[in-house]
Amino acid sequence: MAVIDKTAVGRDRTAAATTGAAAVTATLVLLVTVLAAVDITQGTADVGASEVWNALTGNAEAGDASVVVASRLPRMVAAVLVGLALGMAGSALQAVSRNVLASPDTLAVNAGSYLALGLVAVSGTALPLLASSGAAFVGGLAAAAVVLGLSGLGKGTVRLVLAGSALALGLNAMTNALLLLYPEQTEGLFAWNQGSVGQNGFDGVLQMAPVVAAGLIGLLLVARRVDALALGDDAARGLGVSVRGTRITTVVLATLLSAAAVTLAGPIGFVGLCAPALVRPLARRFRGLVRSRVSLPVAGLVGAALVLLSDVLLRATVPADLAVEVPTGVVTTVVGGVFLVVMALRTRDTASADAPDRLRIPGRRAFLVTVVVLISVLVGVLVAAVLLGDSKLLLGDVVNWAQGRAGRVVTFVLDTRVPRVTAALLAGAALALSGTLVQAVTRNPLAEPGILGVSGGAGLGAVLLVTVAQSPGSWEVAAAAFTGAAVAASIVFGLAARGGFRQNRLVLLGMGVSSAAAALISLVIVLSDPFDTTKALTWLSGSTYGRNMPDVLPVAVVLAVGIVLAVVRRRELDLVALDEDTPRLLGLGLPRARLVFLVAAVLLSATAVAAAGTIGFVGLVAPHAARALVGRRHVRVVPVSLLLGAVLVCLADLAGRTVIAPAQLGAGLMTAVIGTPYFFYLLVRTRR
């Protein structure tokens, strides 16, 4: 009988793993080289492969050499450098957090860097590129620390995505406020935020290359300790590895890489998420890729290939003169959104959709007191909203205006102010009711039209119409918003329904659709007329500026129908929100009931977006606070939620009009600033 030499077998396996990893690396290097060569030949100038070769060898004419050296080579090198940085950063973040969705996007690193650079621009300080990278690094690191702290390292994908999405919404709202308040100081910042690898010379590339090299070297030095973390915290400590120190060091280095990429090309979305995900199947086949010291550079090569491929495909499919204006980051973000949808469908989901709220059944007296107090608060807010603004009025002025006896100035002020207050009131109530219906159907207290992509779809439809059509009517904008919301809702809720609206799948689908919609909105704005850009940005901030009574008619009609539906079918709503089995035992057609309520929620959200722009978190905060106050029965939740939503948006609109008057901020920006901390509170409260 032959004796098997186990040592020899082990050596053979190690050699095979090493050979396989080397083959994969060589293939990726070849792919990046080919894509880089193709990328250099693309552009608006008629400079082909032969002219590029002549420029590289010093035999080209002056014009051709100038185009290649000043534009195309820097663009190609920047794409490679950015892809390497983001791919390695995403791989490191996923390894250290043991979370396959960790990336510069989901950790709000890009949003933090964007806000930091916006603050620098507003201050009027002219910083060199390295100093700007330092500001982006500080902002991104702070955002990542908040998200990782709230979600808990290794505590599941949903918490990280929710925390990152919420923080990104809040930070982007603050940055958009800076864009609107300081248009001259922040000129070009919005276009930069979409991510473009276009360069004007090698200055930026030469300054950021050492930063990326330092980040890569640092990650390779801690690679063994990162591998130890994959065994578990206790096992890592047993091997003498400092768990806390390794995590902090890795996050800092990954954020440094992300900041370098953001400084050089703006946020290139989802490369840090997709690149490591594409390496994982290879690692299962070629075991040599399991170790971080190998997988990190390989993920960087995949990231470089993704950025180059996006740039090549963009310039191959879009006319050359238009491709210059389309940011590469828009392409990668749309691809990343699709990638998230596919990941949601492939991921095994064990998270329950049951609401974690405590069951409270307050008495009838407590409910009545709550309603009376909220009505009183709403009346007070409405009175303040009508009287206060850039021009302060008295109640007598309002009475005279209602009777048609007011002066010209008072009439003008109230003719413009009352429709704005009405739009805020109705939009807030509609968003609150929409959130109530969505949370009931999905049985997920953290579900909200904005987070689940419905508001993003509505915003895309409305922005397309606002920037293309000349002075569209109220019903036309509402129809466009509903079309976009219906498409987004069909994708999210249709695919999530197959899994019983489980949390992981629902959130991933919503984030994917929302990200793709946001990228397409940015593309429309970047390509539109500058006047339309300002108009679209104002509208996206949730502003009620320029609204008139016909503009609020669609949301008023849909809200009235939605309230009647919720009241008449309140018992069905209670059953749908309870569980899967009870409604069927009582003879309720669960799929049909869900469809009716979801269609109503989409209509409410779409018309609210058409009337007041995109306003986030109202559909989350109002229903949750209502259940905390009066329990889960929808006969009580619906009226309280309506009142809370109306109060919240009216207050946000009032603050936006008065705090920094005569300048104004949209209600959506204010609700994002208010809603983000509340959302974090919910995450902390529901932590297991």
Side-chain angles (χ1 to χ4, degrees):
M1 181 180 294
V3 179
I4 299 176
D5 188 345
K6 295 183 179 180
T7 304
V9 172
R11 283 198 300 266
D12 291 341
R13 289 179 178 177
T14 302
T18 303
T19 303
V24 170
T25 304
T27 303
L28 287 173
V29 170
L30 179 61
L31 176 61
V32 170
T33 303
V34 172
L35 290 173
V38 175
D39 191 61
I40 295 176
T41 63
Q42 295 177 311
T44 55
D46 188 15
V47 179
S50 60
E51 287 82 3
V52 171
W53 176 255
N54 290 333
L56 294 177
T57 56
N59 298 321
E61 298 180 2
D64 294 342
S66 176
V67 170
V68 173
V69 175
S71 176
R72 296 194 182 179
L73 273 177
R75 184 189 75 198
M76 180 271 291
V77 176
V80 173
L81 201 61
V82 167
L84 283 170
L86 292 177
M88 292 184 294
S91 180
L93 289 172
Q94 291 181 15
V96 79
S97 65
R98 297 195 292 271
N99 193 320
V100 296
L101 289 181
S103 74
D105 307 279
T106 54
L107 294 183
V109 172
N110 290 339
S113 299
Y114 186 29
L115 176 60
L117 293 175
L119 291 172
V120 170
V122 167
S123 68
T125 305
L127 294 179
L129 193 64
L130 282 176
S132 297
S133 180
F137 168 71
V138 172
L141 183 61
V146 172
V147 174
L148 289 173
L150 286 171
S151 61
L153 290 171
K155 300 297 183 182
T157 58
V158 170
R159 299 188 65 83
L160 183 139
V161 172
L162 287 173
S165 300
L167 184 59
L169 282 173
L171 295 178
N172 285 329
M174 296 172 66
T175 311
N176 289 335
L178 296 178
L179 295 180
L180 291 172
L181 293 176
Y182 304 95
E184 296 181 0
Q185 293 90 331
T186 59
E187 184 179 1
L189 195 60
F190 181 83
W192 169 88
N193 186 50
Q194 311 317 310
S196 175
V197 294
Q199 302 290 311
N200 186 17
F202 276 100
D203 290 344
V205 172
L206 292 176
Q207 292 185 57
M208 288 299 105
V211 179
V212 174
L216 172 60
I217 294 172
L219 288 177
L220 292 178
L221 290 176
V222 299
R224 291 184 181 275
R225 286 185 282 168
V226 172
D227 289 336
L229 291 183
L231 303 175
D233 291 356
D234 293 336
R237 292 190 184 97
L239 295 173
V241 174
S242 172
V243 174
R244 182 181 180 86
T246 301
R247 280 178 171 155
I248 292 176
T249 302
T250 306
V251 171
V252 169
L253 290 171
T255 305
L256 180 66
L257 288 169
S258 302
V262 165
T263 306
L264 184 60
I268 305 291
F270 288 103
V271 174
L273 176 69
C274 297
L278 293 175
V279 173
R280 280 195 295 274
L282 295 174
R284 287 194 289 269
R285 184 169 182 178
F286 304 100
R287 302 302 298 174
L289 297 175
V290 173
R291 294 186 176 183
S292 295
R293 63 182 180 182
V294 179
S295 63
L296 284 170
V298 169
L301 289 172
V302 174
L306 286 174
V307 177
L308 282 172
L309 182 61
S310 299
D311 198 43
V312 167
L313 291 178
L314 171 64
R315 293 173 179 272
T317 56
V318 178
D321 55 341
L322 187 60
V324 174
E325 301 181 27
V326 179
T328 308
V330 170
V331 180
T332 61
T333 301
V334 173
V335 172
V338 176
F339 185 85
L340 273 178
V341 171
V342 174
M343 182 179 287
L345 298 178
R346 294 173 61 90
T347 301
R348 291 184 179 180
D349 195 339
T350 58
S352 172
D354 295 336
D357 298 347
R358 293 181 179 179
L359 182 61
R360 291 183 68 248
I361 308 179
R364 179 180 178 84
R365 181 177 179 181
F367 166 66
L368 293 176
V369 169
T370 301
V371 171
V372 170
V373 170
L374 287 176
I375 291 176
S376 302
V377 172
L378 179 60
V379 170
V381 171
L382 289 176
V383 171
V386 171
L387 297 181
L388 300 178
D390 50 359
S391 299
K392 295 180 175 58
L393 302 177
L394 301 175
L395 281 175
D397 296 325
V398 179
V399 173
N400 291 334
W401 173 78
Q403 296 175 351
R405 295 188 288 108
R408 181 180 301 176
V409 175
V410 172
T411 299
F412 174 78
V413 171
L414 289 177
D415 282 346
T416 56
R417 187 176 295 174
V418 170
R420 296 189 60 175
V421 175
T422 306
L425 170 71
L426 296 176
L431 289 171
L433 183 55
S434 177
T436 302
L437 297 178
V438 168
Q439 290 180 15
V441 169
T442 61
R443 295 195 299 279
N444 186 341
L446 298 180
E448 193 258 343
I451 293 175
L452 299 183
V454 177
S455 296
L460 176 59
V463 166
L464 278 172
L465 186 65
V466 167
T467 55
V468 173
Q470 294 292 330
S471 302
S474 307
W475 289 100
E476 294 173 336
V477 176
F482 174 70
T483 302
V487 172
S490 299
I491 296 173
V492 175
F493 296 126
L495 295 176
R498 295 192 301 174
F501 294 102
R502 294 287 183 176
Q503 283 187 4
N504 286 10
R505 174 170 292 185
L506 187 64
V507 171
L508 290 180
L509 289 169
M511 183 181 176
V513 172
S514 181
S515 300
L520 293 175
I521 289 173
S522 300
L523 176 62
V524 172
I525 293 176
V526 168
L527 296 179
S528 63
D529 182 84
F531 174 76
D532 291 332
T533 299
T534 303
K535 182 169 60 175
L537 277 176
T538 302
W539 185 83
L540 285 171
S541 69
S543 175
T544 57
Y545 178 78
R547 296 297 185 269
N548 53 45
M549 282 304 181
D551 291 334
V552 303
L553 184 58
V555 68
V557 173
V558 173
L559 179 60
V561 174
I563 292 174
V564 172
L565 173 70
V567 172
V568 172
R569 306 187 69 169
R570 58 189 181 277
R571 296 189 184 278
E572 293 183 23
L573 200 56
D574 288 336
L575 291 174
V576 168
L578 190 59
D579 55 37
E580 291 286 327
D581 299 326
T582 304
R584 293 191 177 95
L585 292 175
L586 296 177
L588 176 65
L590 195 56
R592 181 175 175 275
R594 276 177 170 162
L595 179 62
V596 170
F597 291 133
L598 285 178
V599 169
V602 171
L603 273 169
L604 288 163
S605 180
T607 52
V609 167
T614 52
I615 299 177
F617 292 108
V618 177
L620 169 79
V621 173
H624 192 277
R627 287 194 301 272
L629 290 171
V630 297
R632 293 185 186 177
R633 292 180 57 195
H634 284 87
V635 69
R636 298 182 178 182
V637 170
V638 168
V640 173
S641 180
L642 287 168
L643 291 170
L644 285 170
V647 168
L648 181 58
V649 177
C650 285
L651 268 176
D653 184 63
L654 174 61
R657 289 190 289 110
T658 57
V659 171
I660 56 173
Q664 298 185 19
L665 290 175
L669 302 181
M670 303 300 294
T671 56
V673 173
I674 297 171
T676 301
Y678 187 83
F679 191 82
F680 288 164
Y681 160 74
L682 294 183
L683 285 176
V684 173
R685 183 184 175 194
T686 58
R687 178 182 293 178
R688 291 288 181 263

